[in-house]
């Protein structure tokens, strides 16, 4: 028989029992152990928005706290954007293989930045497969075309699946690693390879420079209008500084640059309006998507390579989303018209 009157749980010591007070009349209860308190704290601090990105809480330094309070440097951000545009444009017009090599370096750098950003999570990318496959995807797009790029993307995803199955992870951990690897392949190398298609399949190398110019104009207009006119927040829970006024500025600047570029390229001007609006919309979606990832990861920027932007992936987020849309619109516009195309 168990002595229920004198029974005491071996899990808690006598000191862990809180006595009842006459004022509250609360009966004695057992307090949670220190281990249980630490586990509860970890659960409260952990991000739940992206289920396969579980972040280990990290202390915030004073420099990070200051950087979160201030906005980006407009001069530095615009200068970096213009410098990247000039670098891509010059290599594309002067030495095309050098442009392809620059794009490959950019894709690999973005993959490394993303891997560094998720270093505090319990997820594993399988970097050898992702990097080698990403390079192969871009080379297929540059040398062969869209069909080869799609095939290389599917093969890379299949290789990432096999890599994770052959690793030490099983069950839910393996499934989350596979999901993260395939999404990374689709997000960075696959979308980034549309720049190669724009340069080789859309009539002229100037097409890629044109798309980069529209993206730069959209980002600049969104920043200017959002900073000086922004009043109504678009999505405070994801990106507190992004406003509807900034989005309107993105559309206005993107349409202006796009319509101007249509006269340069020799395609009807109304395609510039369509392209500008679509690129501003998908560019904003790209910014919000990356902001959501960074918020769940507990970081402000993906890296610190570019002044005024943060990481290279912070500069490329809108370009990655806009390049496929620009490819579809411009390919239809160019090959449905008989007018001249800049060569």
């Amino acid at each position: 028989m168990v002595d229920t009157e004198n029974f005491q749980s071996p899990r808690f010591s006598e000191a862990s029992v809180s006595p009842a007070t006459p004022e509250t009349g609360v009966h004695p209860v057992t307090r949670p152990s220190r281990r249980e308190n630490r586990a509860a704290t970890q659960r409260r601090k952990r991000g739940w928005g992206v289920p396969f990105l579980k972040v280990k809480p990290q202390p915030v330094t004073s420099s990070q706290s200051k950087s979160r309070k201030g906005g980006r440097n407009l001069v530095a951000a615009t200068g970096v954007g213009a410098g990247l545009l000039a670098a891509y444009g010059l290599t594309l017009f002067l030495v095309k293989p050098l442009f392809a090599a620059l794009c490959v370096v950019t894709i690999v750098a973005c993959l490394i930045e993303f891997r560094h950003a998720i270093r505090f999570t319990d997820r594993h990318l399988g970097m050898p497969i992702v990097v080698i496959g990403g390079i192969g995807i871009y080379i297929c797009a540059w040398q062969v075309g869209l069909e080869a790029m799609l095939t290389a993307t599917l093969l890379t995803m299949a290789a990432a699946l096999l890599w994770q199955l052959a690793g030490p992870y099983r069950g839910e951990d393996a499934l989350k690693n596979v999901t993260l690897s395939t999404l990374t392949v689709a997000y960075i190398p696959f979308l980034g390879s549309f720049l190669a298609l724009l340069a080789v399949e859309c009539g002229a190398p100037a097409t890629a420079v044109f798309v980069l110019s529209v993206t730069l104009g959209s980002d600049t207009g969104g920043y200017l209008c959002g900073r000086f006119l922004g009043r109504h927040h678009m999505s405070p829970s994801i990106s507190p500084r992004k406003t509807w006024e900034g989005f309107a500025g993105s559309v206005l600047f993107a349409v202006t640059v796009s319509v101007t570029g249509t006269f340069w390229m020799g395609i009807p001007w109304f395609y510039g309006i369509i392209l500008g609006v679509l690129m501003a919309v998908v560019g904003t979606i790209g910014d919000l998507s990356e902001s959501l990832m960074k918020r769940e990861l507990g970081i402000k920027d993906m890296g610190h390579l570019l002044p005024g932007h943060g990481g290279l992936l912070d500069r490329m987020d809108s370009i990655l989303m806009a390049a496929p849309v620009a490819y579809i619109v411009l390919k239809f516009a160019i090959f449905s018209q008989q007018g001249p195309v800049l060569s």
Side-chain angles (χ1 to χ4, degrees):
M1 295 290 293
V2 178
D3 187 3
T4 56
E5 295 181 359
N6 299 322
F7 176 79
Q8 182 178 0
S9 173
R11 185 176 180 180
F12 302 100
S13 62
E14 187 173 322
S16 65
V17 179
S18 59
T21 59
E23 293 81 5
T24 60
V26 177
H27 293 283
V29 295
T30 54
R31 298 175 181 172
S33 64
R34 292 181 179 179
R35 183 176 181 180
E36 291 173 331
N37 282 330
R38 286 196 298 268
T41 303
Q42 295 289 340
R43 287 194 297 270
R44 285 194 300 268
K45 291 183 178 180
R46 188 177 296 141
W48 300 101
V50 183
F52 49 82
L53 295 179
K54 295 183 178 180
V55 184
K56 300 177 182 178
Q58 298 296 322
V60 178
T61 63
S62 59
S63 61
Q64 290 174 337
S65 178
K66 292 179 181 179
S67 64
R68 288 178 180 179
K69 294 178 182 179
R72 299 190 184 278
N73 189 319
L74 176 61
V75 177
T78 305
V80 168
L84 290 175
L85 177 62
Y88 284 104
L90 289 176
T91 55
L92 183 58
F93 282 111
L94 299 178
V95 186
K96 286 186 180 181
L98 188 58
F99 170 80
L102 184 60
C103 289
V104 169
V105 171
T106 302
I107 289 174
V108 174
C110 288
L111 289 172
I112 294 174
E113 274 189 357
F114 186 70
R115 176 64 187 91
H116 183 71
I118 65 171
R119 66 191 183 278
F120 295 128
T121 69
D122 53 357
R123 304 275 69 86
H124 298 270
L125 266 180
M127 280 298 287
I129 297 297
V130 174
V131 171
I132 295 174
I135 296 174
I137 291 170
Y138 188 89
I139 292 176
C140 288
W142 181 265
Q143 293 291 338
V144 184
L146 179 61
E147 293 80 5
M149 186 185 78
L150 293 173
T151 303
T153 302
L154 294 177
L155 290 177
T156 302
M157 291 180 176
L161 171 62
L162 295 177
W163 176 277
Q164 296 295 344
L165 293 179
Y169 302 97
R170 293 293 180 270
E172 185 179 356
D173 288 336
L175 179 61
K176 291 180 179 180
N177 291 337
V178 169
T179 303
L180 181 60
S181 299
T182 53
L183 288 179
T184 303
V185 171
Y187 179 51
I188 299 177
F190 175 70
L191 296 181
S193 296
F194 277 92
L195 286 175
L197 297 179
L198 286 167
V200 299
E201 287 192 5
C202 288
T207 308
V209 180
F210 168 60
V211 171
L212 294 175
S213 301
V214 176
T215 305
L216 177 61
S218 175
D219 291 346
T220 304
Y223 179 83
L224 287 174
C225 294
R227 180 169 184 177
F228 296 107
L229 303 176
R231 295 293 184 273
H232 303 87
H233 295 282
M234 180 180 291
S235 181
S237 61
I238 298 177
S239 183
R241 294 190 180 94
K242 191 168 291 296
T243 61
W244 286 106
E245 290 81 2
F247 173 70
S250 295
V251 174
L252 178 62
F253 276 59
V255 169
T256 302
V257 176
S258 183
V259 170
T260 304
T262 56
F263 296 103
W264 180 44
M265 296 186 62
I267 59 178
W269 61 270
F270 58 85
Y271 282 110
I273 297 178
I274 298 173
L275 181 63
V277 172
L278 289 179
M279 288 188 65
V281 171
V282 297
T284 302
I285 294 174
D287 288 338
L288 290 174
S289 300
E290 186 163 318
S291 296
L292 176 61
M293 287 190 289
K294 291 188 291 187
R295 197 171 186 83
E296 294 300 328
L297 290 170
I299 58 177
K300 182 179 183 293
D301 298 312
M302 287 292 184
H304 306 283
L305 181 63
L306 303 179
H309 287 285
L312 188 60
L313 193 54
D314 295 301
R315 171 70 266 185
M316 298 296 294
D317 54 2
S318 56
I319 297 176
L320 290 174
M321 298 294 288
V325 175
Y327 171 77
I328 295 172
V329 174
L330 289 176
K331 193 172 180 65
F332 178 81
I334 291 173
F335 290 99
S336 64
Q337 300 297 321
Q338 300 298 325
V341 177
L342 184 66
S343 58

